[in-house]
Amino acid sequence: EVQLVESGGGLVQPGGSLRLSCAASGFTFSSNWMSWVRQVPGKGLEWVANVNQHGSETYYADSVTGRFTIARDNAKNSLFLQMNSLRGEDTAVYYCARGCCCGGNCYAGLFDQWGQGTPVTVSS
Amino acid sequence: DIQLTQSPSFLSASVGDRVTITCRASQGISSYLAWYQQKPGKVPNLLIYAASTLQSGVPSRFSGSGSGTEFTLTISSLQPEDFATYYCQQLNSYPITFGQGTRLEIK
């Protein structure tokens, strides 16, 4: 069974930092793109960042570029999101999502498995 | 950035109804469009990708169509478990973007 378990969320002051982690199991982690997607409760979905299978290629939403860094450790089946210079608008539930290998293709931006999310609140 | 606009934003329908949700892209995205279903308190679930390909395990009452800038998600006969919020998403280019969502409720 595929499992993605996020951790590291919490309450942080504006300007502070947090590091989110996602522990993956039940699949060959090194075969898939991985992403972070966030959602303000009751609102829509916002893609944050993704990383390729080897960790050598990363992409970010404009809203987090220069502040957030995505990384992975394939030896530990783990995905990370380092979040610096946090702002109130970063408050959301952060989901770890697996890039789908569907129909013979592995997609960077198609999400077939999601973790349960970790909440991040940025407030003084 | 590519904007996705879903219509309607809210839809009230009955069990057994046929419903269609539209997603319009601000520029052409070929067939790089997916649809997700999200129920309250749950994570999104991938329904359709490549505009019209049904994800494994998704009931055949769900179907998708379109290419370029206009896409539709159709549910042929609504079941009680289908009442949820639906999102379209484009993966044609970065940044990856989602539509604002369509909330489907029981009439």
Side-chain angles (χ1 to χ4, degrees):
Chain A
E1 179 193 6
V2 172
Q3 282 199 313
L4 299 170
V5 180
E6 303 94 336
S7 60
L11 174 63
V12 61
Q13 292 189 340
S17 297
L18 276 179
R19 187 185 192 225
L20 306 184
S21 299
C22 172
S25 61
F27 67 103
T28 304
F29 180 70
S30 59
S31 295
N32 298 74
W33 281 78
M34 295 297 296
S35 286
W36 290 97
V37 178
R38 67 186 181 185
Q39 185 173 34
V40 174
K43 303 297 184 182
L45 298 164
E46 181 185 15
W47 169 80
V48 173
N50 66 359
V51 59
N52 72 344
Q53 291 90 334
H54 312 292
S56 58
E57 195 173 340
T58 59
Y59 297 90
Y60 297 91
D62 293 345
S63 58
V64 307
T65 296
R67 300 187 300 123
F68 289 12
T69 301
I70 189 171
R72 66 192 295 162
D73 184 339
N74 287 343
K76 296 183 177 180
N77 291 340
S78 295
L79 177 72
F80 306 101
L81 186 68
Q82 177 67 42
M83 303 188 296
N84 299 330
S85 303
L86 282 161
R87 306 167 180 167
E89 54 265 37
D90 296 318
T91 295
V93 175
Y94 284 71
Y95 296 105
C96 167
R98 185 179 77 169
C100 185
C101 287
C102 299
N105 296 306
C106 287
Y107 295 90
L110 183 67
F111 314 122
D112 68 337
Q113 296 288 339
W114 299 65
Q116 289 303 306
T118 186
V120 171
T121 302
V122 184
S123 176
S124 54
Chain B
D1 297 6
I2 296 173
Q3 279 78 48
L4 298 179
T5 303
Q6 292 182 229
S7 59
S9 294
F10 177 82
L11 181 57
S12 180
S14 301
V15 172
D17 283 354
R18 178 184 180 90
V19 300
T20 298
I21 299 168
T22 298
C23 178
R24 290 187 174 85
S26 59
Q27 57 187 274
I29 58 171
S30 185
S31 296
Y32 291 101
L33 187 103
W35 291 95
Y36 297 83
Q37 175 194 66
Q38 187 177 28
K39 298 179 181 180
K42 301 296 185 182
V43 301
N45 180 46
L46 175 63
L47 298 175
I48 287 169
Y49 64 96
S52 61
T53 302
L54 205 63
Q55 171 68 342
S56 176
V58 174
S60 59
R61 62 181 180 274
F62 291 91
S63 64
S65 65
S67 67
T69 61
E70 187 151 337
F71 303 85
T72 58
L73 171 70
T74 299
I75 310 172
S76 60
S77 178
L78 273 174
Q79 298 302 301
E81 60 268 30
D82 300 337
F83 292 93
T85 299
Y86 293 84
Y87 295 95
C88 59
Q89 177 228 336
Q90 68 83 19
L91 51 151
N92 178 76
S93 62
Y94 288 103
I96 295 162
T97 49
F98 291 86
Q100 83 278 14
T102 295
R103 185 177 172 190
L104 176 56
E105 291 201 341
I106 301 174
K107 184 182 288 184

